[in-house]
Amino acid sequence: QKEVEQNSGPLSVPEGAIASLNCTYSDRGSQSFFWYRQYSGKSPELIMSIYSNGDKEDGRFTAQLNKASQYVSLLIRDSQPSDSATYLCAAAYSGGGADGLTFGKGTHLIIQP
Amino acid sequence: EPEVTQTPSHQVTQMGQEVILRCVPISNHLYFYWYRQILGQKVEFLVSFYNNEISEKSEIFDDQFSVERPDGSNFTLKIRSTKLEDSAMYFCASTYAGAYYEQYFGPGTRLTVT
């Protein structure tokens, strides 16, 4: 059974600080990982993807992957009130197009002005 | 920027009725997906579709569900005999080979079964 685990939060972070979101996955064979942002009542919006161990940066966002520890994280620098949302971690097993994504329940992030 | 579109945005149906949810994937994408999200719960994979056939399906995708690409643009999910527990947001997603299969989601259809 493939599982992705996230702390549901809420995680409260002051504006301008770094928000750190974490995720673990159960299937060691998982190949690729994704972070989505979901505002209340809206669809998931892709923020970052990561496939290799280490860090991947895109603007204010940094994704980190540690396959040995089966751990994925997302850092958001200079947090803005508009970053307040639920952040979903997802894993794909084979990394191919047929894969359905396995999602975690999401972490609710609140950025305090 | 190209987007996945879905219609209708909200569908209300009675238990036992058939519903068809429609999606138009991004035009150069080759893989299509359906997911559902019951209120307050996580997003769950239903089915993936490539080259006019199902590639992978989850345990949720039982005989009451079917998918079809009736023409060059639409991708549909049919639920034959709806149950109360089918009430959820249904998301369509698509991707293309070479993008590490990053999946882009449509806005969703809220299905309410009464």
Side-chain angles (χ1 to χ4, degrees):
Chain A
Q1 183 79 354
K2 303 170 192 171
E3 297 282 348
V4 173
E5 299 290 339
Q6 295 181 257
N7 188 324
S8 61
L11 174 66
S12 187
V13 173
E15 183 177 356
I18 296 175
S20 177
L21 304 161
N22 305 313
C23 162
T24 59
Y25 59 95
S26 64
D27 193 327
R28 188 170 288 278
S30 296
Q31 296 293 318
S32 49
F33 305 89
F34 306 87
W35 283 100
Y36 286 84
R37 177 173 61 198
Q38 187 175 33
Y39 294 112
S40 181
K42 301 296 186 182
S43 62
E45 175 191 3
L46 181 66
I47 299 174
M48 294 280 292
S49 56
I50 188 164
Y51 320 97
S52 304
N53 279 326
D55 295 359
K56 179 182 178 183
E57 186 174 318
D58 184 1
R60 295 188 297 115
F61 299 97
T62 299
Q64 300 174 317
L65 173 60
N66 184 325
K67 289 189 176 180
S69 300
Q70 295 175 237
Y71 180 88
V72 192
S73 65
L74 179 71
L75 301 178
I76 307 174
R77 288 181 298 281
D78 188 23
S79 297
Q80 303 297 311
S82 58
D83 294 327
S84 297
T86 297
Y87 288 79
L88 310 179
C89 176
Y93 179 66
S94 72
D99 275 1
L101 298 178
T102 299
F103 281 87
K105 290 185 177 180
T107 298
H108 183 39
L109 175 65
I110 300 171
I111 306 301
Q112 295 177 319
Chain B
E1 187 170 323
E3 294 179 334
V4 177
T5 60
Q6 291 185 243
T7 55
S9 57
H10 190 191
Q11 174 96 41
V12 181
T13 189
Q14 289 190 326
M15 195 167 50
Q17 296 297 304
E18 176 182 286
V19 295
I20 297 176
L21 309 182
R22 291 182 168 79
C23 167
V24 178
I26 296 172
S27 62
N28 62 339
H29 284 190
L30 301 177
Y31 294 86
F32 316 124
Y33 312 84
W34 284 102
Y35 293 82
R36 78 173 185 190
Q37 187 175 30
I38 296 170
L39 186 63
Q41 298 188 25
K42 60 184 174 182
V43 177
E44 299 174 292
F45 168 70
L46 294 178
V47 66
S48 61
F49 191 87
Y50 171 73
N51 200 25
N52 283 320
E53 61 183 26
I54 290 173
S55 299
E56 184 179 313
K57 59 183 180 180
S58 72
E59 292 176 352
I60 303 169
F61 194 88
D62 60 21
D63 291 344
Q64 71 159 341
F65 291 96
S66 62
V67 289
E68 189 179 31
R69 186 153 164 86
D71 53 42
S73 59
N74 289 283
F75 178 51
T76 62
L77 175 69
K78 181 189 293 184
I79 309 174
R80 288 192 183 82
S81 178
T82 51
K83 306 170 190 166
L84 294 176
E85 54 265 36
D86 293 327
S87 295
M89 282 290 286
Y90 287 81
F91 297 113
C92 175
S94 68
T95 190
Y96 63 97
Y100 298 100
Y101 304 104
E102 293 172 339
Q103 296 181 23
Y104 295 88
F105 282 67
T109 293
R110 179 170 298 284
L111 177 65
T112 302
V113 182
T114 62

